[in-house]
Amino acid sequence: MTASAPEPASAPPGKDLKSIRAALLPEDRADFDSGLRRAMNTAADHLDLAPVHEFIEAWWRIAVFSMDPDKQRAARDTAEALMGGERVPTVDATQMIRRRIADLQGGR
């Protein structure tokens, strides 16, 4: 018997910490947790919630990409190649998120 792939989510996660974390791939959750601690500490130190809002926005995008694990892992590979100095074709993240949401909504 083979394990079936998980059913893809039908809607993007909410922009709250619990929804975002639940939508992440398992290999991303430790980075999410440590980044959240840093953002919260910075917010407390400076009495400014901007770092938390920026954290939520950045990780929400990752959570949206994580709705398709294969594409998310491919995106991670591309990012690692870019950071390693390789030239690779890229697409604007906002365009990718809009396309993904449109696909999930049936092209509306």
Side-chain angles (χ1 to χ4, degrees):
M1 187 163 119
T2 61
S4 62
E7 193 68 27
S10 60
K15 282 195 175 182
D16 62 273
L17 295 168
K18 285 184 182 182
S19 297
I20 292 168
R21 189 178 191 283
L24 294 174
L25 300 178
E27 60 261 36
D28 290 331
R29 291 187 183 135
D31 288 339
F32 174 89
D33 293 342
S34 63
L36 176 58
R37 279 189 215 74
R38 282 191 308 276
M40 297 293 275
N41 287 337
T42 300
D45 290 346
H46 297 279
L47 299 176
D48 180 5
L49 288 174
V52 175
H53 294 296
E54 291 165 6
F55 175 86
I56 289 170
E57 183 63 29
W59 278 94
W60 177 78
R61 290 174 184 230
I62 294 168
V64 170
F65 288 136
S66 297
M67 295 171 70
D68 186 328
D70 292 335
K71 285 184 181 178
Q72 169 59 4
R73 289 181 177 110
R76 181 180 300 123
D77 292 344
T78 298
E80 288 173 4
L82 285 168
M83 291 182 344
E86 295 178 42
R87 289 186 56 111
V88 295
T90 60
V91 176
D92 178 69
T94 302
Q95 291 175 358
M96 290 179 73
I97 290 170
R98 286 183 182 142
R99 286 184 205 156
R100 182 67 178 137
I101 291 171
D103 289 346
L104 293 170
Q105 295 175 343
R108 286 185 264 164

